[in-house]
Each structure stands twice: as structure tokens, then as C-alpha cells.
Amino acid sequence: MKKRFVYADNAATTAISPYVLEKMLPFLTEQYGNASAVYSKGRKARTAVETAREQIAAALSCSPEEIFFTSGGTESDNWAIRGVCQAAKGKNHIITSSIEHHAVLNTCRFLGQNGYRITYIPVDSSGTVNPDDIEKAIAPDTALVSIMYACNETGVIQPVSEIGNICRKHAVPFHTDAVQAAGHLEINVNEQNISLLSISGHKIHAPKGTGALYIRKGTNISNLMFGGAQENSLRPGTENTAAIVGLGAAFENLSSDMDTNRRHTEKIRNRLESRLSESKRISVNGISGQRLPGISNITVKGADGEQILLMLDLKGICASAGSACTSGSSEPSHVLKAMGLSDADAYSSLRFSFGHLNSADDADYIADTLNEILRKL
Ligand code: PLP
């Protein structure tokens, strides 16, 4: 088999798209003005920042004043959770799920060590939370519900609209980490009763280190950082104009091609899973849930996931074991364990994640290579 290069780790990060880069370049070179400056170079930067805000607001169906630029998904999650809890004086209960990204889990853990009570909602074997469990957990002192939109490890989409309805009924702010979902799924923060929503640029072909937090008008939230008057004095620091322009352009680009991209990546993922179903050792995690189009998380019974990853790498294939954010740690995936997998099966799991730059041939190459590796092992 001829060696190729296949990037199948788009849930970990993505390449900056040529369209995004082209939009960013002037702001990395001649248009370097500070967006707060009054002269024309500054005003050009300001216009670009506000255009990006409008592009993101259009993608989420909110108003531009409700979008605040951050350094990425981690900061947005931290700000949403800590900011809302700090502002909700006298309320010290947070509801989240057992499958959240560590940006949410470790923020909740920190608050748990500082007087907050945290309820972790479990998931079923498909990796989905039950909205009824959230409603039952809401108490008079609940400051926030934080449930991810779609899981970074399995791609399983959570019942966000139902959770939003429940939170609205009980007047509890609802935060969702949409880092994996934004740009891939239609999101309407008003119809879905979302109060706060985190996004990240590097998952959608914009640069790393850029993101945003949607904050519904009227939501009580404290600052995470203090400094200048940028972002309506809520998130200080000189705007990273080029990165912000990239984030806006990525949303603009993906929003216009969302259906085409979804069908394309779903076809590749389904092709891979259908090819892999020939092996009795392989099962797909989260297959009975609703999933993002591009993510496939599989368990190869009895195999060492890390070892397979290294062998795939030798064949030019980039994938990850569970989640890129937890690789390097020897812990089995908390997501797969929450879905009922044993430690051994969690260690035998791999994640392939596709984007619009992948092709059906990539799925075939991965399937052929994996089958060859399994014959050798
Ligand atoms: N939330 C989810 C669901 C993620 O997948 C990630 C990144 O993997 C993050 C948050 C963190 O985002 P960032 O890398 O932009 O800090």
C-alpha cells in the first residue's frame, strides 16, 4: 500500500483555511493599528473587529453586542462558569455533566474546592445526558447549568434545546460549550434558550488562541480579568485583530457551506465505519446517539490504542486516542468510562475526526491501514 498523508484529527485542531488566511494577512502586515486608536489605521482595525463580531452573531442568531472575543474555548468556559457563579451571590450550586471537556470539569472542580456544590449528570450508554435528570437536579441555589453542545471525544450531540427550555422555566442561566459544534451545526441561541455559549477558532480553520463567548443580554456575569475598557470593559486586553478577523471569516465561510460540509464529512465517516464493521473486534462508541458528522470514536477490542496510533502515524495517518486534550495522560477517557466502557476498552479506543478537506479515499486508506495493523498485532 502506497503511503499517504491523512489528517483525521480535526476535532483536535484544524489547518487555517486559505480563505481565512487571506482575510487575516493585511492585519498581520500593514493594518497593524490598535483597534482602540482614533487615527485611520486604528479605525480600520476597529471596523474589522466589528465585522467579525457581526459574522459570528449572524451564525448564532444573536446580536453583535452579545459576542465577546476571548483567547479560545478554555477561557470562554472559565469565564462563563466562574463569572456567572461569582455574580450569583448566595447561589452556590452548579449542574454539569460527567463528559465535559476539562476546561469545564476542572473549572467546576476548582469551584467545588471553594465552597460550591457540583452535580455531575451522568450519560447513558450512547453518551447522552437526560434532560429530566437536569430538571430534577435544579435547586433554589443553582447558579448555573453547563452542558456541552457536542462531545469532543465521541461527537455525541446533547439535547441542548430541551435543556435550554428547562433552564428557562426555572430561571437558571444555561451555558453550553459549543467548541465542537459551532460552525458544523445550526445554532440559534434565542430559540434554544442558551444564556452563554463558548466557541473556539482553531477547530474551524481559524487560528489557535482565538475564541468568543456569547453572553445573552441581561445575564449577570463578573469579569475574569481586569484591565482596559475593551469588549465593553468585560474582557480587557488589546484586541488580537488578525485572529478575530480569522474567526469571523471562518464562521462566514462555514455557515454558507454548512449543509454541503455536513453531507461530505458524514459520508466519509460513514464509509470508514462501514469498512471497519467488517472486523468483529471493532465497535463504534456513541453510534446510537445523535452525532456530529465528522467524528468517529471506535474501540478495537484487546488492542492498545496508543500503540495503534503510533503505527498509524508511521503510515502517515493522524488520529487520536480518546481526546487530544487527555492524551499524554495515562488516565482512561472519562467520557468513555461515563458511557460504561471498562478501563481496558477505553484504553483500546481511537478517535478519527474529519473535516471538509478530507475525502472518501482517506476513509479507505485508514480502513485498509487499520486492518493491516490488526492482522500484524
Ligand atoms: N471545549 C471543547 C469541547 C474542546 O474540544 C476544546 C478543545 O479541544 C476546548 C473546550 C478548549 O478549547 P481551546 O483549545 O480553544 O482552549
Side-chain angles (χ1 to χ4, degrees), residues 4 47 51 132 150 174 212 226 238 247 261 338 348 355 370:
R4 299 178 42 194
T47 304
T51 301
D132 291 344
F174 171 38
F226 297 90
T238 303
L247 185 64
N261 288 343
S348 305
L370 197 53

mmCIF file of all heavy atoms in Angstrom, residues 4 47 51 132 150 174 212 226 238 247 261 338 348 355 370:
data_model
loop_
_atom_site.group_PDB
_atom_site.id
_atom_site.type_symbol
_atom_site.label_atom_id
_atom_site.label_comp_id
_atom_site.label_asym_id
_atom_site.label_seq_id
_atom_site.Cartn_x
_atom_site.Cartn_y
_atom_site.Cartn_z
ATOM 1 N N ARG A 4 0.418 7.502 2.304
ATOM 2 C CA ARG A 4 -0.166 8.812 2.025
ATOM 3 C C ARG A 4 -0.117 9.630 3.307
ATOM 4 O O ARG A 4 0.276 9.132 4.352
ATOM 5 C CB ARG A 4 -1.636 8.659 1.617
ATOM 6 C CG ARG A 4 -1.868 7.839 0.382
ATOM 7 C CD ARG A 4 -3.360 7.729 0.117
ATOM 8 N NE ARG A 4 -4.051 9.006 0.324
ATOM 9 C CZ ARG A 4 -5.371 9.148 0.427
ATOM 10 N NH1 ARG A 4 -6.140 8.105 0.336
ATOM 11 N NH2 ARG A 4 -5.925 10.326 0.627
ATOM 12 N N THR A 47 -13.116 48.539 12.555
ATOM 13 C CA THR A 47 -14.155 48.088 11.617
ATOM 14 C C THR A 47 -14.039 46.585 11.393
ATOM 15 O O THR A 47 -15.042 45.865 11.367
ATOM 16 C CB THR A 47 -13.993 48.840 10.264
ATOM 17 O OG1 THR A 47 -14.046 50.231 10.554
ATOM 18 C CG2 THR A 47 -15.076 48.480 9.272
ATOM 19 N N THR A 51 -16.813 43.814 12.209
ATOM 20 C CA THR A 51 -17.349 42.947 11.138
ATOM 21 C C THR A 51 -17.311 41.488 11.596
ATOM 22 O O THR A 51 -18.274 40.735 11.411
ATOM 23 C CB THR A 51 -16.516 43.121 9.840
ATOM 24 O OG1 THR A 51 -16.587 44.490 9.472
ATOM 25 C CG2 THR A 51 -17.019 42.250 8.705
ATOM 26 N N ASP A 132 -34.300 15.267 31.857
ATOM 27 C CA ASP A 132 -35.075 15.101 33.111
ATOM 28 C C ASP A 132 -34.153 15.097 34.326
ATOM 29 O O ASP A 132 -34.515 15.598 35.394
ATOM 30 C CB ASP A 132 -35.859 13.781 33.107
ATOM 31 C CG ASP A 132 -36.986 13.811 32.087
ATOM 32 O OD1 ASP A 132 -37.333 14.920 31.638
ATOM 33 O OD2 ASP A 132 -37.491 12.724 31.735
ATOM 34 N N ALA A 150 -21.771 19.406 21.978
ATOM 35 C CA ALA A 150 -21.418 18.116 21.361
ATOM 36 C C ALA A 150 -20.080 17.691 21.940
ATOM 37 O O ALA A 150 -19.196 18.518 22.177
ATOM 38 C CB ALA A 150 -21.326 18.249 19.854
ATOM 39 N N PHE A 174 -28.065 29.106 31.439
ATOM 40 C CA PHE A 174 -27.611 27.868 30.791
ATOM 41 C C PHE A 174 -26.403 28.176 29.906
ATOM 42 O O PHE A 174 -26.505 28.939 28.943
ATOM 43 C CB PHE A 174 -28.760 27.272 29.970
ATOM 44 C CG PHE A 174 -28.360 26.115 29.088
ATOM 45 C CD1 PHE A 174 -27.434 25.155 29.498
ATOM 46 C CD2 PHE A 174 -28.939 25.972 27.816
ATOM 47 C CE1 PHE A 174 -27.072 24.091 28.676
ATOM 48 C CE2 PHE A 174 -28.588 24.908 26.989
ATOM 49 C CZ PHE A 174 -27.650 23.974 27.420
ATOM 50 N N ALA A 212 -14.551 33.011 21.387
ATOM 51 C CA ALA A 212 -15.522 34.010 21.828
ATOM 52 C C ALA A 212 -16.476 33.387 22.825
ATOM 53 O O ALA A 212 -16.605 32.165 22.908
ATOM 54 C CB ALA A 212 -16.307 34.561 20.635
ATOM 55 N N PHE A 226 -9.162 41.904 34.735
ATOM 56 C CA PHE A 226 -9.400 43.344 34.858
ATOM 57 C C PHE A 226 -8.311 44.112 34.127
ATOM 58 O O PHE A 226 -7.155 43.674 34.091
ATOM 59 C CB PHE A 226 -9.464 43.742 36.342
ATOM 60 C CG PHE A 226 -10.624 43.061 37.022
ATOM 61 C CD1 PHE A 226 -10.468 41.818 37.614
ATOM 62 C CD2 PHE A 226 -11.887 43.639 36.992
ATOM 63 C CE1 PHE A 226 -11.547 41.167 38.186
ATOM 64 C CE2 PHE A 226 -12.975 42.990 37.558
ATOM 65 C CZ PHE A 226 -12.807 41.755 38.167
ATOM 66 N N THR A 238 -5.707 44.420 24.565
ATOM 67 C CA THR A 238 -5.749 44.880 23.169
ATOM 68 C C THR A 238 -6.233 43.760 22.257
ATOM 69 O O THR A 238 -5.750 42.638 22.345
ATOM 70 C CB THR A 238 -4.339 45.346 22.734
ATOM 71 O OG1 THR A 238 -3.934 46.366 23.648
ATOM 72 C CG2 THR A 238 -4.334 45.878 21.318
ATOM 73 N N LEU A 247 -11.412 34.484 12.875
ATOM 74 C CA LEU A 247 -12.547 33.794 13.493
ATOM 75 C C LEU A 247 -13.850 34.163 12.769
ATOM 76 O O LEU A 247 -14.660 33.293 12.442
ATOM 77 C CB LEU A 247 -12.633 34.183 14.979
ATOM 78 C CG LEU A 247 -13.678 33.464 15.822
ATOM 79 C CD1 LEU A 247 -13.376 31.974 15.919
ATOM 80 C CD2 LEU A 247 -13.736 34.051 17.237
ATOM 81 N N ASN A 261 -20.915 20.718 3.698
ATOM 82 C CA ASN A 261 -19.830 20.159 4.517
ATOM 83 C C ASN A 261 -20.332 18.996 5.372
ATOM 84 O O ASN A 261 -19.640 17.990 5.552
ATOM 85 C CB ASN A 261 -19.240 21.231 5.445
ATOM 86 C CG ASN A 261 -18.427 22.242 4.667
ATOM 87 O OD1 ASN A 261 -18.053 21.992 3.529
ATOM 88 N ND2 ASN A 261 -18.167 23.385 5.265
ATOM 89 N N ALA A 338 -17.710 7.071 31.429
ATOM 90 C CA ALA A 338 -19.064 7.505 31.806
ATOM 91 C C ALA A 338 -20.130 6.804 30.961
ATOM 92 O O ALA A 338 -21.266 6.646 31.383
ATOM 93 C CB ALA A 338 -19.180 9.025 31.648
ATOM 94 N N SER A 348 -8.417 0.997 24.609
ATOM 95 C CA SER A 348 -8.361 0.419 23.248
ATOM 96 C C SER A 348 -9.104 1.282 22.241
ATOM 97 O O SER A 348 -9.506 0.788 21.185
ATOM 98 C CB SER A 348 -9.001 -0.977 23.258
ATOM 99 O OG SER A 348 -8.398 -1.792 24.208
ATOM 100 N N GLY A 355 -12.889 16.628 8.380
ATOM 101 C CA GLY A 355 -13.370 17.966 8.029
ATOM 102 C C GLY A 355 -13.611 18.017 6.527
ATOM 103 O O GLY A 355 -13.439 17.004 5.825
ATOM 104 N N LEU A 370 -5.640 0.236 9.028
ATOM 105 C CA LEU A 370 -6.010 -0.301 10.337
ATOM 106 C C LEU A 370 -6.168 -1.825 10.255
ATOM 107 O O LEU A 370 -5.700 -2.563 11.133
ATOM 108 C CB LEU A 370 -7.313 0.366 10.803
ATOM 109 C CG LEU A 370 -7.672 0.256 12.263
ATOM 110 C CD1 LEU A 370 -6.533 0.728 13.161
ATOM 111 C CD2 LEU A 370 -8.908 1.111 12.560
#
